[in-house]
Amino acid sequence: MTSGLLLAVSLVLAGPAAAQTNQAAKGRGPIANTPDQTIKGTAMAVEGDLLTINGTAVRLMGIDAPDPGQKCRNRYGHELDCFKVATAVLANMVKGEEVTCTVTEQDRTGEKKGECRVRGVDLGAAMVSRGWAFQYASLSPAYQKGEAYAQSKRMGLWAGQVEKPWQWRSRQLRETAK
């Protein structure tokens, strides 16, 4: 077995935590020798994949929700502001609850990324399995089953027509560059 295949098999068996550890060892992801930071408190949803906890912004790792200005269509073809809907869904999940975020990464712009939970429930997984966010399959397979479930049941964004947020952003950049 090649070392790349062996690494892939071990990551699948060990789960996302091992993938993050291996990313750190390769110089991607968390800064080496820096412990994960835990932030607890009351949260506010800023976007469908972004919270503020006690004034600290934390992006939910492994998911991507619609961006500001992004529209989609429901099952009847009516246009709606899917950014606002996704943000409202996340806001309802954190309303009146203590949120615990484990920050495992900080990107070059200083944005913190991590896994956030309410009563033990992973908010990223909840957003994906309800169909209001998409998994970042290239970063982690953790939410693959949740996305397949939402898609098969035509839940949330899967009920109608929507462009995946990363595709929408790319199209916006192309259109503004013209």
Side-chain angles (χ1 to χ4, degrees), residues 92-162:
N92 277 335
M93 284 191 238
V94 300
K95 188 177 183 179
E97 299 285 348
E98 182 178 70
V99 177
T100 302
C101 293
T102 304
V103 177
T104 58
E105 190 175 316
Q106 189 166 326
D107 69 16
R108 66 184 180 280
T109 65
E111 182 175 73
K112 296 175 188 289
K113 297 178 181 181
E115 182 182 278
C116 298
R117 294 178 172 270
V118 167
R119 296 183 185 203
V121 175
D122 178 349
L123 293 171
M127 287 296 289
V128 170
S129 65
R130 290 181 174 142
W132 292 107
F134 298 94
Q135 68 156 336
Y136 259 134
S138 61
L139 297 179
S140 171
Y143 303 128
Q144 187 173 1
K145 287 181 182 176
E147 185 168 283
Y149 175 79
Q151 190 174 12
S152 71
K153 300 291 184 185
R154 300 190 54 78
M155 297 172 69
L157 299 165
W158 296 104
Q161 295 174 321
V162 67

Side-chain angles (χ1 to χ4, degrees), residues 26-45:
K26 291 180 181 178
R28 293 179 298 210
I31 301 167
N33 302 321
T34 304
D36 293 342
Q37 177 185 5
T38 301
I39 301 171
K40 283 186 180 187
T42 305
M44 284 182 35

